[in-house]
């Protein structure tokens, strides 16, 4: 009896192990597919600036005796090379998160100093663009990886400056509240007085490589990777990011993060609780 009991237990275990293996294979297939798609997208994106650089490099020879044209070509090469650099940098960040199980080193951190530093880092950029950067911060701790968090806020502030109007304002604020299931969470808001986001675009701005108006984004050296990176980071930290409001007079991006170490459930977005 004991013997057969033991055998049936191990058969159960075998079935379980087999299912785990099958699940792992499915997951690997899925990852492989994502990886192929990612490489396809990135290769396409890298080709555009490279084509410009090659074209201007050829023109340098023709422009040899014309300092103004030479300067223009140099400027274009430099601008496109910077775009390439940003693309590669963001692609590396994204790929390391998607392909390997990206590790976040979450801890109980004070939010205010991180937000203050993020704002300070972009102060000069805002000023150069004629934008007022203001903060409305309150004390509180979140359960997050400080480096990832900094990265997310910098990305959102950078967009709020880039897609603003001259003379506009960017506001960084935070406030503690509770989600529909009673979990304490921190809500961080980045608002701008910019061009707003259409309903159609709203669904897609978090997709990798998506940019609303390629012209405007290109002027700013956009890669369409920033927001997908932010969403990825937020979700890895049991949080969420979304556009809370948008109108022709500006948009508000909202990040929610748990204040305590999560049991594993996701913190719900602001809309879900109201
Ligand atoms: P990009 O590198 O183009 O800025 P993102 O992924 O950060 O890429 O953003 C995707 C697109 O979403 C941008 O090209 C822009 O059109 C739009 N977008 C992002 N933030 C804002 C904002 N604050 N206001 C209006 N549009 C925005």
């Amino acid at each position: 009896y004991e013997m057969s009991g033991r055998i049936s237990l191990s058969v159960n275990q075998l079935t379980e192990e087999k299912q785990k293996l099958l699940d792992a294979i499915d997951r690997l297939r899925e990852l492989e597919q994502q990886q192929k798609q990612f490489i396809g997208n990135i290769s396409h994106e890298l080709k555009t600036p490279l084509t410009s650089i090659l074209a201007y490099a050829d023109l340098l020879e023709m422009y040899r005796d014309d300092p103004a044209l030479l300067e223009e070509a140099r400027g274009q090469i430099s601008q496109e090379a910077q775009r390439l650099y940003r693309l590669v940098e963001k692609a590396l960040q994204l790929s390391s998160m998607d392909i390997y199980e990206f590790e976040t080193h979450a801890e109980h951190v004070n939010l205010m100093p991180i937000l203050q530093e993020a704002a300070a880092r972009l102060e000069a950029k805002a000023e150069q663009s004629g934008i007022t950067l203001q903060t409305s911060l309150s004390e509180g701790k979140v359960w997050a990886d400080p480096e990832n968090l900094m990265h997310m806020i910098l990305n959102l502030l950078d967009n709020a400056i880039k897609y603003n109007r001259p003379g506009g304002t960017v506001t960084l604020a935070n406030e503690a509240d509770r989600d529909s299931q009673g979990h304490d969470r921190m809500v961080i808001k980045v608002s701008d007085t910019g061009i707003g986001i259409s309903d159609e675009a709203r669904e897609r701005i978090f997709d990798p490589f998506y940019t609303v108006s390629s012209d405007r984004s290109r002027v700013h050296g956009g890669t369409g990777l920033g927001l997908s990176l932010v969403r990825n980071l937020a979700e890895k930290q049991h949080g969420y990011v979304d556009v809370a409001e948008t109108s022709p007079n500006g948009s508000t991006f909202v990040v929610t993060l748990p204040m305590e170490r999560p049991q594993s459930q996701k913190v719900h977005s602001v809309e879900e609780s109201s």
Side-chain angles (χ1 to χ4, degrees):
Y1 172 78
E2 201 182 273
M3 182 87 159
S4 71
R6 233 182 263 151
I7 288 170
S8 79
L9 187 69
S10 66
V11 167
N12 272 345
Q13 277 175 334
L14 257 178
T15 319
E16 234 172 66
E17 288 306 315
K18 186 176 156 203
Q19 192 52 48
K20 272 191 209 154
L21 212 61
L22 288 174
D23 288 347
I25 291 171
D26 276 352
R27 175 83 189 120
L28 275 176
R29 287 221 176 96
E30 209 177 285
L31 278 175
E32 192 192 356
Q33 196 49 41
Q34 277 176 12
Q35 199 173 343
K36 277 191 185 146
Q37 171 100 33
F38 184 78
I39 291 171
N41 284 348
I42 195 85
S43 310
H44 179 80
E45 288 294 311
L46 292 175
K47 255 177 114 171
T48 320
L50 267 179
T51 309
S52 293
I53 290 174
L54 286 172
Y56 278 107
D58 281 345
L59 287 175
L60 285 179
E61 173 68 17
M62 265 173 62
Y63 289 174
R64 201 166 23 177
D65 301 322
D66 189 328
L69 286 176
L70 263 186
E71 178 51 27
E72 194 203 316
R74 192 206 59 76
Q76 290 292 341
I77 288 175
S78 163
Q79 192 180 317
E80 293 299 315
Q82 278 168 29
R83 202 173 126 65
L84 263 182
Y85 185 86
R86 280 192 296 270
L87 266 169
V88 170
E89 207 176 37
K90 287 197 173 150
L92 282 175
Q93 288 165 341
L94 263 179
S95 68
S96 65
M97 278 191 288
D98 284 344
I99 295 165
Y100 312 102
E101 275 304 292
F102 184 75
E103 230 180 292
T104 52
H105 302 280
E107 52 188 274
H108 218 191
V109 282
N110 264 328
L111 182 62
M112 207 196 248
I114 295 177
L115 297 185
Q116 278 166 338
E117 193 190 327
R121 281 209 213 168
L122 285 177
E123 184 69 56
K125 179 167 182 175
E127 208 170 300
Q128 277 166 14
S129 321
I131 307 291
T132 309
L133 181 55
Q134 61 188 29
T135 55
S136 165
L137 307 178
S138 59
E139 291 285 355
K141 286 192 166 184
V142 288
W143 184 264
D145 179 321
E147 212 172 293
N148 290 345
L149 183 52
M150 176 65 85
H151 211 85
M152 290 163 63
I153 304 302
L154 286 176
N155 255 297
L156 292 176
L157 284 176
D158 192 52
N159 278 348
I161 295 169
K162 276 197 307 196
Y163 301 108
N164 217 314
R165 295 198 171 87
T169 306
V170 171
T171 310
L172 174 63
N174 75 294
E175 195 175 46
D177 76 357
R178 201 161 273 184
D179 72 9
S180 51
Q181 287 159 18
H183 300 119
D184 286 330
R185 65 178 179 183
M186 187 62 85
V187 180
I188 306 167
K189 290 189 182 178
V190 178
S191 320
D192 63 63
T193 54
I195 53 181
I197 300 162
S198 71
D199 282 346
E200 186 209 347
R202 209 169 151 160
E203 303 286 309
R204 303 195 50 205
I205 50 173
F206 294 97
D207 292 347
F209 300 104
Y210 181 80
T211 56
V212 174
S213 140
S214 53
D215 279 356
R216 192 181 171 104
S217 180
R218 198 134 293 173
V219 165
H220 293 292
T223 58
L225 288 174
L227 286 178
S228 67
L229 191 68
V230 172
R231 175 158 281 180
N232 221 319
L233 286 172
E235 287 176 356
K236 290 269 152 47
Q237 297 179 96
H238 306 268
Y240 200 76
V241 57
D242 214 341
V243 183
E245 287 158 46
T246 178
S247 77
N249 304 318
S251 314
T252 300
F253 282 78
V254 172
V255 174
T256 54
L257 286 171
M259 294 178 72
E260 302 299 333
R261 181 185 211 135
Q263 313 288 299
S264 87
Q265 67 274 60
K266 217 168 74 177
V267 172
H268 291 269
S269 68
V270 173
E271 283 85 349
E272 284 171 61
S273 70
S274 52

